[in-house]
């Protein structure tokens, strides 16, 4: 199947060709036609499968085909959970819409709102936003969603994980009842289906890959290791393997900072990215990582979604996540767009339960290796680690629905 056969405009086909794409991915093949027909959709797609273009391309086509007003009201809203994902989606909107007479903007917290407000006041067709900044600007009377024709909820499962349900409901109330809704999620959990029921009208369900499967192009391996030897082991792997670009996941912000500093002391250029970092620091770290001046990017799960790093060869779980689905999202940063990738996990005795849960989720046993000199501690307890940091707050927020939810959300946004 070709992009031409999907019914997209010549301007979009020109932009697609400029990016070097020749054939649509499975999620694009399945999602684009029903969206162009005006259907609501509930789509599940593995990370790295081209889902952003799956909704961006038909959205741009629909808006460009419809009558435009002199002053551009917001006609499409794309809501994302994190700043990084918002920036990535906005970049896609700009690239694919390069030959269309459409204006777009992106807004998120952590930065001065004045440039964002100035852009919005000029008139825009498409707004990409995170919930916190969007609601802030709505409360200030700067943004109106009364003319929205298309609403996209991206990474819906992550939205729920981060406690954004109430914010989503507040945003929906400010939009017209008659609109097209597109909802994308990595999983079809009960909570997702419940959310979809309240947003979508007679949706077409699109599923490009089996739920919670991992990308076939990713080679997975577990290194069993004593907890106190993890730092030395990862430094050995990076140094002796001469790895040039490595994304490393830790469970907590403080853990990310500590590991980053230890890497620097051994001469490995590294940067940390997590919710306590300013937007400027996060952007600088990510840019350095993409350019190659930063060899290792150490991150918490805030980076598990929305980071588009072409041809990333290595992802390392310095600590396994205590939510199994997050493992899939983490390693999905590699093996994207058909490229091969390697995902390694350093697993201590107290993470055994997490590993078992992950293998159940993905439906396969992961290869295990033990390196001489870094053997696991035979006397270590196999009791699971108590959840901490971002994950503990996130789970607590979801259970209690307390005011802490708002405070936690602001850090992510």
């Amino acid at each position: 199947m070709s992009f031409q056969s999907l019914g997209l405009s010549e301007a979009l086909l020109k932009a697609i060709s400029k990016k070097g794409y020749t054939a649509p991915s499975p999620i694009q093949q399945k999602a684009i036609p029903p969206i162009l027909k005006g259907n609501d959709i509930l789509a599940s797609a593995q990370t790295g499968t081209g889902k952003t273009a799956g909704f961006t391309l038909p959205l741009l086509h629909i808006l460009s085909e419809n009558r435009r007003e002199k002053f551009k009201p917001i006609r499409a809203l794309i809501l994302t959970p994190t700043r990084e994902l918002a920036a990535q989606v906005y970049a896609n909107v700009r690239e694919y819409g390069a030959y269309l007479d459409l204006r777009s903007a992106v807004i998120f917290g952590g930065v001065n709102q004045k440039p964002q407000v100035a852009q919005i006041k000029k008139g825009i067709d498409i707004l990409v936003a995170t919930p916190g900044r969007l609601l802030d600007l709505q409360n200030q009377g700067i943004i109106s969603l009364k003319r929205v024709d298309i609403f996209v909820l991206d990474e819906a499962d992550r939205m729920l994980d981060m406690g954004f349900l109430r914010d989503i409901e507040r945003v929906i109330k400010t939009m017209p009842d008659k609109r097209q809704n597109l909802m994308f999620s990595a999983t079809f959990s009960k909570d997702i289906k419940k959310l979809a029921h309240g947003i979508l009208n007679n949706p077409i369900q699109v599923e490009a890959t089996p739920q919670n499967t991992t990308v076939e192009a990713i080679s997975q391996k577990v290194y069993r290791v004593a907890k106190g030897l993890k730092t030395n082991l990862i430094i050995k792997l990076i140094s002796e393997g001469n790895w040039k670009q490595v994304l490393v996941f830790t469970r907590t912000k403080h853990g990310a900072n500590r590991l980053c500093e230890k890497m620097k002391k051994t001469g490995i250029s590294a940067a940390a990215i997590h919710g306590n970092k300013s937007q400027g620091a996060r952007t600088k770290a990510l840019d350095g990582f993409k350019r190659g001046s930063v060899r290792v990017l150490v991150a918490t799960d805030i980076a598990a979604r929305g980071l588009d790093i072409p041809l990333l060869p290595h992802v390392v779980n310095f600590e396994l996540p205590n939510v199994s689905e997050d493992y899939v999202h983490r390693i999905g940063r590699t093996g994207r767009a058909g490229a091969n990738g390697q995902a390694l996990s350093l697993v201590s005795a107290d993470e055994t339960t997490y590993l078992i849960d992950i293998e159940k989720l993905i439906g396969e046993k992961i290869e295990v290796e033990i390196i001489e000199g870094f053997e696991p501690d035979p006397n270590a307890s196999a009791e699971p680690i108590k959840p901490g940091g971002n994950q503990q707050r996130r789970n607590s927020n979801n259970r209690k629905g307390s005011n802490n939810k708002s405070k936690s959300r602001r850090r992510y946004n």
Side-chain angles (χ1 to χ4, degrees):
M1 179 181 286
S2 66
F3 281 105
Q4 287 87 342
S5 65
L6 295 177
L8 297 169
S9 69
E10 288 299 324
L12 288 171
L13 293 175
K14 183 178 179 181
I16 292 167
S17 177
K18 185 177 180 180
K19 285 180 67 70
Y21 299 138
T22 55
S25 68
I27 187 62
Q28 292 162 7
Q29 293 177 29
K30 294 182 178 182
I32 290 176
I35 296 175
L36 289 177
K37 291 178 182 178
N39 296 111
D40 283 13
I41 68 164
L42 173 60
S44 172
Q46 239 168 229
T47 184
T49 55
K51 70 172 177 64
T52 302
F55 62 77
T56 299
L57 289 170
L59 180 151
L60 289 167
H61 178 94
I62 292 169
L63 295 183
S64 64
E65 292 290 302
N66 294 340
R67 182 175 61 85
R68 294 181 295 276
E69 300 181 29
K70 186 175 181 180
F71 178 79
K72 294 176 178 287
I74 298 170
R75 294 191 289 151
L77 171 66
I78 304 172
L79 203 60
T80 73
T82 66
R83 310 169 192 174
E84 285 75 20
L85 182 56
Q88 178 194 324
V89 172
Y90 176 63
N92 273 259
V93 170
R94 297 265 296 174
E95 290 169 350
Y96 290 123
Y99 304 106
L100 298 172
D101 181 23
L102 295 172
R103 292 180 187 172
S104 57
V106 60
I107 61 171
F108 44 72
V111 295
N112 192 319
Q113 73 173 37
K114 289 183 179 179
Q116 298 175 354
V117 171
Q119 195 172 5
I120 290 167
K121 287 185 174 180
K122 292 178 182 177
I124 57 170
D125 299 280
I126 304 161
L127 179 65
V128 184
T130 53
R133 178 54 59 90
L134 174 62
L135 289 169
D136 287 344
L137 295 186
Q138 278 189 299
N139 291 336
Q140 294 176 48
I142 294 168
I143 285 178
S144 172
L145 301 178
K146 293 180 179 179
R147 304 293 295 276
V148 168
D149 295 320
I150 304 174
F151 172 51
V152 181
L153 186 61
D154 195 15
E155 303 283 13
D157 48 339
R158 177 58 96 189
M159 286 280 196
L160 295 186
D161 286 347
M162 291 171 63
F164 284 130
L165 178 58
R166 291 183 182 177
D167 286 351
I168 294 169
E169 292 172 344
R170 289 170 64 191
V171 170
I172 288 172
K173 289 179 180 178
T174 66
M175 293 187 289
D177 291 335
K178 187 178 180 181
R179 63 179 188 272
Q180 185 176 9
N181 303 286
L182 316 176
M183 186 167 154
F184 284 74
S185 173
T187 63
F188 281 162
S189 66
K190 289 181 180 179
D191 288 339
I192 288 297
K193 290 179 179 178
K194 181 179 178 181
L195 177 63
H197 182 72
I199 297 175
L200 309 178
N201 298 310
N202 300 316
I204 292 177
Q205 187 166 308
V206 175
E207 198 165 0
T209 54
Q211 186 174 331
N212 292 324
T213 57
T214 48
V215 179
E216 291 181 4
I218 301 174
S219 169
Q220 301 173 71
K221 181 183 286 188
V222 162
Y223 287 101
R224 283 286 191 173
V225 58
K227 190 171 185 177
L229 298 177
K230 281 190 177 186
T231 300
N232 289 338
L233 177 55
I234 192 172
I235 290 172
K236 171 185 171 69
L237 292 171
I238 292 171
S239 300
E240 294 186 0
N242 196 27
W243 297 349
K244 300 299 184 183
Q245 194 179 43
V246 191
L247 178 59
V248 180
F249 284 101
T250 60
R251 192 176 294 111
T252 68
K253 303 168 188 176
H254 296 302
N257 289 335
R258 284 196 303 269
L259 182 58
C260 184
E261 290 306 312
K262 288 178 180 178
M263 293 233 180
K264 289 179 181 178
K265 288 180 181 178
T266 66
I268 298 174
S269 58
I273 179 172
H274 51 67
N276 279 359
K277 294 284 186 179
S278 69
Q279 182 59 35
R282 285 158 64 168
T283 300
K284 182 179 178 181
L286 184 56
D287 286 346
F289 187 58
K290 288 183 176 181
R291 291 196 313 269
S293 59
V294 172
R295 188 173 173 184
V296 178
L297 188 65
V298 187
T300 55
D301 281 306
I302 193 170
R305 313 259 189 115
L307 290 186
D308 187 16
I309 306 165
L311 305 179
L312 175 64
H314 304 286
V315 170
V316 178
N317 291 297
F318 185 77
E319 296 163 318
L320 286 180
N322 48 331
V323 176
S324 302
E325 288 83 355
D326 285 346
Y327 173 84
V328 178
H329 303 316
R330 285 181 178 189
I331 73 169
R333 297 303 95 202
T334 187
R336 297 169 71 85
N340 292 321
Q342 188 175 38
L344 307 175
S345 299
L346 311 188
V347 181
S348 52
D350 55 357
E351 295 173 298
T352 300
T353 301
Y354 300 153
L355 177 60
I356 293 171
D357 290 343
I358 287 167
E359 290 179 330
K360 285 180 181 177
L361 181 75
I362 65 176
E364 61 180 283
K365 295 288 288 184
I366 304 173
E367 177 188 351
V368 175
E369 183 175 334
I370 297 175
I371 295 180
E372 186 177 353
F374 296 89
E375 292 86 355
D377 183 353
N379 299 316
S381 171
E383 286 296 312
I385 302 163
K386 292 182 180 180
N390 294 343
Q391 186 62 48
Q392 187 179 44
R393 279 192 297 272
R394 189 178 76 188
N395 290 345
S396 174
N397 288 341
N398 289 339
R399 288 194 304 271
K400 298 178 182 178
S402 66
N403 290 333
N404 290 336
K405 181 185 297 180
S406 174
K407 295 177 183 178
S408 176
R409 183 192 69 232
R410 293 292 183 258
R411 283 194 293 271
Y412 278 104
N413 251 11

